[in-house]
Each structure stands twice: as structure tokens, then as C-alpha cells.
């Protein structure tokens, strides 16, 4: 069994972009919109050096809503991979939920906060979830990681009063960090390094 480091894509590896049509921050839909988060490539390299298999787990509801095409999603992911590789970063696997609750005939089990993406990766890659981590920038990432039996990292610069929602919902992350360079030292503090 292998130890994995699950990581959300948008807001963690790459920046969100402003969608002028809908007036909100959203996932990049085109390669030219991809902006790497500072330090993301180096961080993935460090996680790999610790012996973790890296799996990106991402909700991409634009596919269901018709605002994102599969060729564009593939192009965005290739661009992201190329830019991360410049700093030695790469992932081993990527699991994508293409669903949106308003565009589904039946419920799915893969849309975070459900743990389906992590459970599928565990089956596919023989992962020990109890020795793995889930890192993301939102409540749904922490919920999915906890539901799968992983330790969790909230990657955010939210203010304490905003983070209180995690505690109210009994979804306390094991680690909270706002910079990549703080993540591994905090993982060590809680005793979670493989």
C-alpha cells in the first residue's frame, strides 16, 4: 500500500480567474488563463521527495454546465502540468468530478465533499488512506479528505472568523497553512509525515 498526497487544483496549484460573463471567480477554461500559485511546483517536488504519490482531485462542474469543454479542460491540465514541471513539480494521477448538482439525473459519489475521487484513487493506485493527506482551499476539500479517512490540510489565508465555519461543522482540518513553505513543517508537528 502506498501513501498519497491528494491536492485540489483550483485555488491551490493555480489561481482562480475572473469570469466576466457570470461575475465570479472560477476555474481557468483556457490554457492562457492558467496562472501557477507561487511555489506550487517546488512544493509538489518536496512532497514527492517525502515518498508520497501525488493525486490531483478536482471538481469541474463547468463540464456539466456546458461552460467548459473536455478538450479545453485537457489543454488547461496540460498547461498546468508543464508550468509546474519547470520547478520540478508533477502529479501521478488526476481524478475529476464532471458533475454539477443542478445538471444531474442521479446523484454522484465523486463530487467533493463526498470522498468518491479519493476512494477511486485508493482502489486504482493501492493507496493507504489512513496514511495519506488531502489538501485544499475549501470546506469541501477538508470534508472529502475526512470522509475518506485522510488527514487534512486547509490551504488558506482566511481570517479566523471565516475558518470558524469549519469548526462549527465539525470539519476541523489537521493543518492550516497559508503558504506552501509552512505545510510540511506543520505536517511534521502533527506527526503525519510518512
Amino acid at each position: 500500500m502506498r501513501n498519497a498526497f491528494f491536492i485540489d487544483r483550483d485555488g491551490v496549484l493555480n489561481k482562480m480567474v475572473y469570469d466576466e460573463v457570470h461575475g465570479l471567480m472560477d476555474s481557468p477554461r483556457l490554457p492562457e488563463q492558467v496562472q501557477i500559485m507561487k511555489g506550487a511546483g517546488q512544493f509538489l517536488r518536496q512532497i514527492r521527495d517525502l515518498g508520497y504519490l501525488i493525486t490531483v482531485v478536482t471538481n469541474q462542474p463547468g463540464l456539466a454546465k456546458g461552460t467548459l469543454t473536455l478538450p479545453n479542460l485537457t489543454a488547461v491540465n496540460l498547461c498546468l502540468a508543464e508550468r509546474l514541471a519547470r520547478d520540478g513539480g508533477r502529479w501521478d494521477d488526476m481524478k475529476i468530478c464532471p458533475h454539477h448538482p443542478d445538471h444531474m439525473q442521479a446523484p454522484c459519489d465523486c463530487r467533493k465533499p463526498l470522498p468518491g475521487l479519493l476512494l477511486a484513487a485508493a482502489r486504482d493506485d493501492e493507496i493507504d488512506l489512513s496514511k495519506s493527506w488531502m489538501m485544499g482551499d475549501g470546506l469541501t476539500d477538508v470534508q472529502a479528505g475526512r470522509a475518506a479517512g485522510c488527514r487534512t490540510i486547509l490551504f488558506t489565508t482566511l481570517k479566523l472568523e471565516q475558518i470558524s465555519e469549519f469548526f462549527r461543522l465539525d470539519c476541523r482540518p489537521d493543518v492550516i497553512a497559508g503558504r506552501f513553505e509552512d505545510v510540511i513543517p506543520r505536517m511534521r508537528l502533527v506527526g503525519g509525515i510518512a
Side-chain angles (χ1 to χ4, degrees), residues 25-38:
M25 297 301 285
D26 205 349
S27 305
R29 294 190 184 115
L30 301 168
E32 54 268 23
Q33 295 176 317
V34 174
Q35 299 175 50
I36 299 297
M37 295 290 266
K38 183 180 179 186

Side-chain angles (χ1 to χ4, degrees), residues 114-156:
L114 297 174
L117 296 177
L118 288 78
L119 299 176
R123 282 189 305 272
D124 294 347
D125 299 320
E126 299 180 353
I127 292 169
D128 182 346
L129 291 168
S130 69
K131 294 182 180 172
S132 297
W133 288 86
M134 172 65 209
M135 177 171 150
D137 65 333
L139 176 62
T140 58
D141 300 305
V142 174
Q143 289 173 313
R146 287 186 57 153
C150 299
R151 290 194 181 196
T152 58
I153 301 164
L154 175 62
F155 187 69
T156 187

Side-chain angles (χ1 to χ4, degrees), residues 40-46 48-49 54 81-91:
Q42 298 95 324
F43 177 72
L44 290 182
R45 186 183 67 236
Q46 292 168 342
R48 176 172 305 291
D49 289 347
I54 299 172
E82 289 169 3
R83 293 189 182 173
L84 291 168
R86 292 176 189 166
D87 292 320
R90 68 177 178 87
W91 62 74

